[in-house]
Amino acid sequence: MKIAFVGKGGSGKTTLSSLFVRHLAASGVPVVAIDADINQHLGPALGLDETEAAGLPALGEHLALIKDHLRGTNPRIPSAEQMIKTTPPGKGSRLLRVCEDNPVYDACARPVELDDGAVRLMVTGPFTDADLGVACYHSKTGAVELCLNHLVDGRDEYVVVDMTAGSDSFASGMFTRFDITFLVAEPTRKGVSVYRQYKEYARDFGVTLKVVGNKVQGQDDLDFLHEQVGDDLLVTVGHSDWVRAMEKGHPPRFEVLEDANRRALRELHTAALATYELRDWARYTRQMVHFHLKNARSWGNERTGVDLAAQVDPGFVLGEEVAAPA
């Protein structure tokens, strides 16, 4: 299951995504957590200190390795240099699984020990001084999109992505890569404005969107969210002494998280599981191709010097039954 957490900056999306990762780990299921926000707060939210978080390998720094591994023996992609962030898999491509060892995980993923198990953590890497004047920060998430395009995951396997803030997720097709998207919204006009943008942009792509109300303090806040987002409101979360302790670097054991917040996490898990039966791998693949062709025409063909439309394998549909080459 592929799950995204989005929301405006400061909404609490990283906190909620880290709590959900902890909940999944405590449930005993395998989890890959990905920090796709250049602010890079997911590691500390999962308990890493500043030195450990700063030492995590950046996906963007291993882009050549990622491309070379994923292209495999696909005859439509003769070199890693001709791959872009939206390049879709085809016959001969190597696919990623949640529960496996591979060169991408070896280079880019690190285990994070939690109370009830460990998760794999991958990060895009922060925007650095070297990027100033020469790079758009959206390029940092390109490696994440490429990995998601080549990922085959099952019902009881989880990839949780802490996305870029606001509506910046729509700078690429990555917003269509998820079984469900949880939008974290505060009970304010600014808090729900991102929801309206996301709802409008995602309308034509079959995106399953649910709102998590955060920092809800009373009935007035709850009524406001119901009025603004309607049936898309799934759960609400209020003040948490556990989270306050975590933000100070001293989280208690996860088992003592407040009962109300534990119930909210279980509801998120149930909502995610319910989307499994809605999976449409053919549509998923069509959307992948749609954004690839759009990027190819916009900038990819010029940058690579080749017609990237030729990378599309018309007979290929990504799915759980597709086997990766050795």
Side-chain angles (χ1 to χ4, degrees), residues 34 57-63 66 104 108 122-125 143-144 147:
I34 302 178
L59 281 159
E61 293 179 359
H62 296 278
L63 191 55
I66 293 171
V104 175
C108 305
M122 304 170 75
V123 303
T124 61
V144 178
C147 288

Side-chain angles (χ1 to χ4, degrees), residues 259-277:
D259 288 342
N261 292 328
R262 292 178 68 85
R263 286 196 299 272
L265 294 174
R266 287 196 294 269
E267 288 193 55
L268 297 185
H269 196 173
T270 298
L273 282 172
T275 65
Y276 182 79
E277 301 303 328

Side-chain angles (χ1 to χ4, degrees), residues 52-319:
E52 291 171 322
L56 293 170
L59 281 159
E61 293 179 359
H62 296 278
L63 191 55
L65 179 150
I66 293 171
K67 290 180 176 181
D68 199 52
H69 176 75
L70 295 179
R71 71 185 183 91
T73 59
N74 187 337
R76 296 174 178 272
I77 310 171
S79 70
E81 290 73 23
Q82 292 183 14
M83 290 183 77
I84 62 173
K85 64 180 183 178
T86 54
T87 293
K91 185 177 181 181
S93 296
R94 288 194 182 95
L95 305 177
L96 298 178
R97 265 71 177 185
V98 173
C99 298
E100 68 173 4
D101 294 320
N102 59 54
V104 175
Y105 290 158
D106 290 343
C108 305
R110 295 294 179 267
V112 176
E113 296 292 334
L114 300 173
D115 293 345
D116 298 294
V119 301
R120 279 174 164 152
L121 174 62
M122 304 170 75
V123 303
T124 61
F127 198 72
T128 66
D129 290 343
D131 297 317
L132 294 175
V134 297
C136 168
Y137 70 84
H138 295 123
S139 65
K140 292 289 187 179
T141 64
V144 178
E145 186 168 1
L146 199 57
C147 288
L148 290 176
N149 280 353
H150 290 74
L151 177 70
V152 178
D153 55 308
R155 180 186 183 92
D156 295 316
E157 302 170 329
Y158 290 83
V159 176
V160 179
V161 183
D162 181 17
M163 297 281 278
T164 53
S167 57
D168 288 335
S169 302
F170 292 97
S172 71
M174 193 157 65
F175 72 97
T176 65
R177 302 295 85 196
F178 302 99
D179 293 289
I180 191 167
T181 296
F182 294 128
L183 190 144
V184 182
E186 300 167 88
T188 65
R189 286 185 296 176
K190 287 185 178 180
V192 299
S193 64
V194 173
Y195 160 77
R196 293 198 184 96
Q197 288 180 305
Y198 221 102
K199 183 80 169 178
E200 180 63 28
Y201 292 158
R203 187 180 306 277
D204 297 330
F205 293 95
V207 173
T208 300
L209 178 68
K210 291 296 180 181
V211 174
V212 181
N214 193 26
K215 306 176 186 178
V216 174
Q217 298 183 8
Q219 190 63 43
D220 286 346
D221 287 346
L222 185 59
D223 291 343
F224 176 83
L225 286 173
H226 275 298
E227 175 187 338
Q228 296 296 319
V229 308
D231 292 340
D232 285 339
L233 182 63
L234 180 63
V235 294
T236 62
V237 179
H239 174 79
S240 170
D241 290 333
W242 193 99
V243 169
R244 293 284 287 180
M246 180 270 289
E247 291 174 342
K248 294 175 182 177
H250 305 290
R253 287 191 60 81
F254 184 66
E255 62 189 19
V256 301
L257 180 71
E258 298 86 357
D259 288 342
N261 292 328
R262 292 178 68 85
R263 286 196 299 272
L265 294 174
R266 287 196 294 269
E267 288 193 55
L268 297 185
H269 196 173
T270 298
L273 282 172
T275 65
Y276 182 79
E277 301 303 328
L278 304 177
R279 280 187 163 189
D280 184 343
W281 285 103
R283 184 187 70 185
Y284 188 84
T285 304
R286 286 196 303 272
Q287 290 177 343
M288 191 188 314
V289 170
H290 167 79
F291 284 105
H292 177 63
L293 295 177
K294 186 175 181 180
N295 277 266
R297 292 190 297 266
S298 177
W299 57 269
N301 290 344
E302 181 179 358
R303 181 172 299 180
T304 62
V306 297
D307 180 7
L308 295 175
Q311 293 182 344
V312 176
D313 184 343
F316 182 86
V317 176
L318 190 66

